Amino acid sequence: MTRLIRYEFYKLFCKRSILVVLILFSVINLFKINNEFHSYSYLADGNDSRSWNSVYWQLYEKYRGEITTDKINHLLDLYQPLVDATADMTASTDTDDPNTMTGNIYSDENILEKYYVQPMEYFYNYRTYASEVAKKAKENAAFYKEQGLNFEVRKNSVIYNLYSGRNIPAFAYREMYNYYLNYDFSNILVLLLCLYGIISTFVYEKETQMDMLLLTNPNGGKKTVLAKIVAVTLFVISVVIWFSVLDYLGFSFSFGTMEGYNLPLYAISNFSTAAVNCNLWQYVVLSAITKAIGIWTMSMVFLLISMFWRNALIPFVTDFGVALCLIITGASQSYSSNIWLKIINPYSLLTNRILFGKTEFIGFAGYPIQSFLAAIIFAVIVGMAVITVMVILSKKNCHCRDRRIKCLDSCTK
């Protein structure tokens, strides 16, 4: 079986056309990532001594690490005079002022506010915010216990355990991760590449009528179908891993640093109500695994659709239409209050910041299940159900001489 899986993998995916598309999409993705940096980051203004990029990293050495009272006071001593000087908007607009860090007093105020004051304030105050959420959840749990509402008791207990003890003790760079975690372009490329690779899995053999010939082989029929399913799974996982690594390295090289990877996930403001307690590099791995599950489920659906056709065009158009519907529905319902719409759509696992960025629950048998976990479980169940259908619908190799007698009864039913 291992040999058959290896053969199917090389036959289906180790083709020049697949490799060309993979390389092309990878290059496009890297250009897109580099464009993200130059289009949106204020630190993309070069390495001149008065550029924001240079000034930021000079100041960073003073404020990085544990957040202390001395660092906060030092930052405020630097920032507050700038606020006072620019309050009435009468300060000089000279762009070459020797008494400023960036050449302009307004620019000095902006860089300190955007990259130091606001992030450090958020970091410093987050502990209080998390503590209040945990306290409220504990009070709610006690109240609902008196009312006999076990589901609400369990839900608030989960919230209490999730938020209790949360804090951000150290200051670190986070801009790269903010853009990285909100980057979705590569998801479309992964989906298109998987769609392109999967289409020919069954169609190629039907076009050449090899599917009937395979039924005369001991490894034909259901064994071949299972081998194809495993090969597609390996291909999908490989593509997701490749683009996940490419995304992370692309952002790291474009932004020029991997600094801040040890920050907790909720240090990114979009994840202030994160459903998991992990740091940024752990979330990078978790996100890749979650994307792989989502793509795998969608790929199994694509594979099932392509199983019924002898011409590649029809399943390609059908699969593309299904993928487009999932993408549009997922994008439109991403911030919906209806949690089930996100859970049942495997595309939500690709843009998983929607699931991991908010603490949401559904009820199952009286127990609260977080939305991201429910989405993963649902996707796996759907994928396994689709595989079962494909195996059931696949033809048996009853024409194989060695198995003809064993299969005769089942073939004539």
Side-chain angles (χ1 to χ4, degrees):
M1 190 65 178
T2 303
R3 186 177 179 183
L4 183 59
I5 292 171
R6 189 186 306 117
Y7 169 75
E8 288 293 339
F9 185 87
Y10 282 113
K11 181 184 73 173
L12 293 170
F13 306 117
C14 294
K15 299 185 293 188
R16 182 177 298 177
S17 59
I18 295 290
L19 295 176
V20 168
V21 174
L22 176 63
I23 294 171
L24 177 62
F25 280 7
S26 298
V27 172
I28 292 173
N29 190 46
L30 289 175
F31 273 106
K32 176 63 175 175
I33 291 172
N34 190 59
N35 184 63
E36 291 280 308
F37 171 62
H38 288 286
S39 298
Y40 301 113
S41 175
Y42 289 95
L43 303 185
D45 60 344
N47 294 312
D48 181 80
S49 60
R50 291 196 167 187
S51 66
W52 276 38
N53 184 53
S54 298
V55 171
Y56 174 82
W57 291 109
Q58 290 170 12
L59 293 171
Y60 185 72
E61 294 303 318
K62 299 178 182 179
Y63 300 114
R64 65 183 300 181
E66 182 183 0
I67 299 175
T68 64
T69 304
D70 289 341
K71 289 181 180 179
I72 294 174
N73 290 334
H74 186 276
L75 177 60
L76 291 177
D77 289 341
L78 187 63
Y79 174 68
Q80 194 58 48
L82 297 176
V83 174
D84 295 337
T86 58
D88 58 1
M89 302 297 290
T90 58
S92 172
T93 57
D94 189 359
T95 58
D96 195 25
D97 187 343
N99 297 318
T100 61
M101 297 180 292
T102 62
N104 178 266
I105 190 171
Y106 293 101
S107 182
D108 282 6
E109 180 196 357
N110 289 335
I111 188 174
L112 287 175
E113 181 177 5
K114 178 176 177 60
Y115 284 99
Y116 286 99
V117 175
Q118 290 180 352
M120 194 171 290
E121 182 180 17
Y122 172 78
F123 288 8
Y124 184 79
N125 291 331
Y126 188 84
R127 181 174 184 174
T128 303
Y129 164 76
S131 178
E132 290 175 353
V133 173
K135 180 182 178 181
K136 186 63 178 178
K138 188 176 182 179
E139 293 173 354
N140 288 343
F143 172 77
Y144 288 123
K145 188 175 182 179
E146 293 177 357
Q147 304 300 316
L149 301 174
N150 292 330
F151 174 80
E152 293 295 334
V153 172
R154 293 172 182 139
K155 185 177 78 172
N156 281 277
S157 295
V158 172
I159 295 174
Y160 173 78
N161 292 326
L162 190 62
Y163 283 81
S164 181
R166 277 190 176 185
N167 69 332
I168 312 173
F171 177 82
Y173 172 80
R174 65 174 187 172
E175 184 184 52
M176 186 274 282
Y177 291 95
N178 184 54
Y179 289 110
Y180 168 76
L181 296 179
N182 289 280
Y183 183 70
D184 291 331
F185 181 73
S186 62
N187 294 333
I188 305 299
L189 298 180
V190 169
L191 196 56
L192 290 175
L193 181 58
C194 290
L195 183 61
Y196 174 69
I198 289 168
I199 291 301
S200 62
T201 303
F202 289 112
V203 173
Y204 176 77
E205 289 168 354
K206 290 184 178 181
E207 285 180 335
T208 58
Q209 296 186 344
M210 280 292 294
D211 57 325
M212 298 303 299
L213 184 61
L214 283 172
L215 295 179
T216 66
N217 190 287
N219 289 323
K222 294 187 184 300
K223 272 193 174 181
T224 299
V225 171
L226 285 172
K228 289 180 183 296
I229 291 171
V230 175
V232 168
T233 299
L234 293 175
F235 173 69
V236 167
I237 292 173
S238 300
V239 170
V240 172
I241 291 174
W242 169 256
F243 276 94
S244 295
V245 173
L246 194 68
D247 283 353
Y248 188 72
L249 293 179
F251 272 93
S252 298
F253 281 111
S254 293
F255 283 77
T257 183
M258 293 183 182
E259 187 74 23
Y261 62 88
N262 274 327
L263 281 174
L265 177 61
Y266 44 80
I268 307 300
S269 55
N270 286 354
F271 289 83
S272 61
T273 58
V276 291
N277 286 330
C278 62
N279 57 32
L280 289 171
W281 75 263
Q282 290 170 335
Y283 179 73
V284 169
V285 176
L286 178 60
S287 177
I289 295 172
T290 306
K291 287 180 181 181
I293 294 172
I295 287 287
W296 173 77
T297 301
M298 296 173 73
S299 297
M300 292 301 105
V301 174
F302 298 156
L303 197 59
L304 176 62
I305 293 173
S306 68
M307 192 177 182
F308 299 102
W309 306 96
R310 290 186 174 274
N311 183 285
L313 180 60
I314 297 176
F316 180 81
V317 173
T318 305
D319 287 347
F320 184 80
V322 171
L324 193 61
C325 288
L326 290 174
I327 293 171
I328 294 174
T329 304
S332 62
Q333 299 296 330
S334 57
Y335 295 99
S336 170
S337 58
N338 191 330
I339 303 174
W340 278 104
L341 292 177
K342 292 179 278 188
I343 290 174
I344 64 176
N345 190 341
Y347 184 73
S348 297
L349 295 176
L350 275 67
T351 56
N352 50 64
R353 67 177 181 277
I354 307 299
L355 295 172
F356 286 111
K358 192 174 182 180
T359 306
E360 296 178 316
F361 299 88
I362 62 164
F364 181 78
Y367 287 88
I369 300 177
Q370 287 187 269
S371 59
F372 76 88
L373 185 59
I376 291 172
I377 294 172
F378 183 83
V380 172
I381 291 174
V382 170
M384 295 303 296
V386 172
I387 290 174
T388 302
V389 171
M390 283 191 285
V391 172
I392 291 173
L393 294 178
S394 63
K395 296 179 181 179
K396 295 180 180 179
N397 51 344
C398 298
H399 299 292
C400 174
R401 183 176 180 180
D402 296 336
R403 299 187 179 183
R404 189 174 300 164
I405 296 176
K406 294 181 181 179
C407 296
L408 184 59
D409 292 338
S410 60
C411 288
T412 55
K413 287 182 181 180

